[in-house]
Amino acid sequence: DTGVSQDPRHKITKRGQNVTFRCDPISEHNRLYWYRQTLGQGPEFLTYFQNEAQLEKSRLLSDRFSAERPKGSFSTLEIQRTEQGDSAMYLCASSMGLLNEQYFGPGTRLTVT
Amino acid sequence: KNEVEQSPQNLTAQEGEFITINCSYSVGISALHWLQQHPGGGIVSLFMLSSGKKKHGRLIATINIQEKHSSLHITASHPRDSAVYICAVAYSGGGADGLTFGKGTHLIIQP
């Protein structure tokens, strides 16, 4: 297994457009996390899944954001009607259970113009 | 508010120096992570610990649960250690199961 992968690595979009990112976790990991990181700051938690169930959503996750993990494997994060404030690095991580190491993907850098 | 504080924010040192980065947090945790982030964004997990001390090569991480404090040490530092080091905690007692991150310590090791 080659680790956590994310696609695309970079996305430039115009304000108001919808974007979707994909995360493929390490195959045997049941937990999948989405984080957002803006320049000069540490990452911030957005949401996580245990298998296909979305168990927690941060207050940062407005109604324009939706995440899915339909078969408990890969996950998608969609942002509707993007705003300039959505520009950030979106990071995905996976782990086997709560108290285990999280493995991070390379991130998707979103720029909203 | 559950916060994670790191110090220093920036650190420049000469090759070979012993490096210490500190992390403090405000409430009980189930685990603390030290992460390394290189330019370009990739994050690598260095340690996950809930008590005591762990060592991997030139890196040592310690945690004091009573004082809510952890340190990351780098011995015989090298320019390739230059990166942002991030402390993150998983809080116990309910709430978000995602990690809460510090802002990171930007380390530069000069040859």
Side-chain angles (χ1 to χ4, degrees):
Chain A
D1 189 73
T2 57
V4 179
S5 61
Q6 292 186 245
D7 184 69
R9 295 290 305 274
H10 302 274
K11 178 72 178 178
I12 300 172
T13 191
K14 292 185 177 179
R15 189 176 55 185
Q17 297 295 304
N18 299 344
V19 294
T20 300
F21 310 141
R22 176 177 170 128
C23 171
D24 286 88
I26 293 173
S27 57
E28 64 267 26
H29 285 182
N30 60 352
R31 286 201 168 209
L32 186 149
Y33 301 82
W34 284 100
Y35 298 96
R36 181 173 69 187
Q37 184 177 27
T38 53
L39 202 60
Q41 302 295 315
E44 297 172 299
F45 168 75
L46 293 179
T47 188
Y48 88 96
F49 294 83
Q50 180 158 306
N51 300 312
E52 67 276 9
Q54 188 175 17
L55 297 186
E56 186 76 32
K57 291 172 65 173
S58 164
R59 288 188 298 275
L60 295 174
L61 216 62
S62 76
D63 292 344
R64 297 184 296 104
F65 288 69
S66 62
E68 294 183 341
R69 194 183 184 197
K71 297 182 180 178
S73 56
F74 73 92
S75 175
T76 58
L77 178 68
E78 181 183 16
I79 309 174
Q80 297 182 325
R81 305 180 303 282
T82 52
E83 301 173 356
Q84 285 189 317
D86 297 331
S87 296
M89 176 76 84
Y90 290 84
L91 295 161
C92 174
S94 70
S95 71
M96 177 58 78
L98 171 61
L99 294 181
N100 285 297
E101 191 173 355
Q102 293 190 20
Y103 293 82
F104 286 80
T108 294
R109 183 169 295 284
L110 173 66
T111 302
V112 181
T113 62
Chain B
K1 180 180 177 183
N2 298 336
E3 291 187 339
V4 178
E5 300 287 338
Q6 283 188 240
S7 64
Q9 285 189 299
N10 297 284
L11 178 58
T12 300
Q14 296 297 312
E15 183 174 358
E17 286 189 38
F18 181 81
I19 303 298
T20 296
I21 299 170
N22 297 299
C23 174
S24 60
Y25 51 91
S26 54
V27 297
I29 63 169
S30 52
L32 183 143
H33 299 248
W34 280 104
L35 310 166
Q36 181 191 57
Q37 186 170 32
H38 281 284
I43 291 179
V44 174
S45 178
L46 299 175
F47 297 102
M48 188 190 76
L49 62 166
S50 54
S51 65
K53 177 180 175 178
K54 286 190 176 181
K55 184 175 188 293
H56 180 72
R58 295 180 294 106
L59 302 178
I60 304 166
T62 64
I63 188 168
N64 184 316
I65 296 296
Q66 287 73 31
E67 295 188 2
K68 297 184 175 60
H69 180 269
S70 175
S71 293
L72 175 69
H73 305 286
I74 305 175
T75 61
S77 59
H78 190 276
R80 64 175 175 266
D81 297 326
S82 298
V84 177
Y85 291 84
I86 303 173
C87 171
V89 301
Y91 285 109
S92 57
D97 281 341
L99 298 176
T100 300
F101 296 79
K103 292 185 177 181
T105 295
H106 189 190
L107 175 66
I108 298 173
I109 304 297
Q110 295 178 334

